[in-house]
Amino acid sequence: MTISLDLPVELENELSAEASQLKLPLSEYILRVLSFRPFLKNPPKTGVELVAYWESVGVINSRPDITDSQEYARRLRDQAEHRERA
C-alpha cells in the first residue's frame, strides 16, 4: 500500500535526521516507527513480558550463527581490547 503524506517541515526534518543516524531510508524508518505503535500503547511491565516481546519481533534468536553467547561475548571483548589504535 502506498500512502502520501504532507508532513510539517519540522517533523520531516526530525524524521530524516533520525533515519540518517540509523542509515535507513526515510520511508523504511517511518515504517519502523509506525510498527512500534502497539508496543508504545502497552509496553512490557515485567522482564518476562519484555523477553516475550523481543521473541515475537525476532530480536531473540536473531543470530543463529552464535551458538555460545558467552564465548562470543568473550571474543568480542578480546578483539576490542587488542585492536590497533590509529
Side-chain angles (χ1 to χ4, degrees), residues 5 8 24 32-33 42 49 52 55 58 71-72 80 84 86:
L5 295 173
L24 292 173
R32 287 184 181 196
V33 169
N42 187 22
E49 290 177 357
E55 286 176 333
E71 175 57 30
Y72 184 74
E84 295 290 322

Side-chain angles (χ1 to χ4, degrees), residues 20-62:
S20 178
Q21 287 177 338
L22 296 171
K23 297 179 174 51
L24 292 173
L26 180 57
S27 58
E28 184 177 333
Y29 179 68
I30 291 172
L31 184 59
R32 287 184 181 196
V33 169
L34 291 173
S35 68
F36 277 109
R37 285 180 317 110
F39 177 79
L40 296 174
K41 287 182 182 177
N42 187 22
K45 294 170 184 56
T46 66
V48 171
E49 290 177 357
L50 182 59
V51 169
Y53 171 74
W54 284 342
E55 286 176 333
S56 73
V57 297
V59 173
I60 294 179
N61 296 323
S62 64

Side-chain angles (χ1 to χ4, degrees), residues 61-69 72 75:
N61 296 323
S62 64
R63 296 285 308 269
D65 57 308
I66 300 173
T67 56
D68 182 347
S69 62
Y72 184 74
R75 273 190 289 134

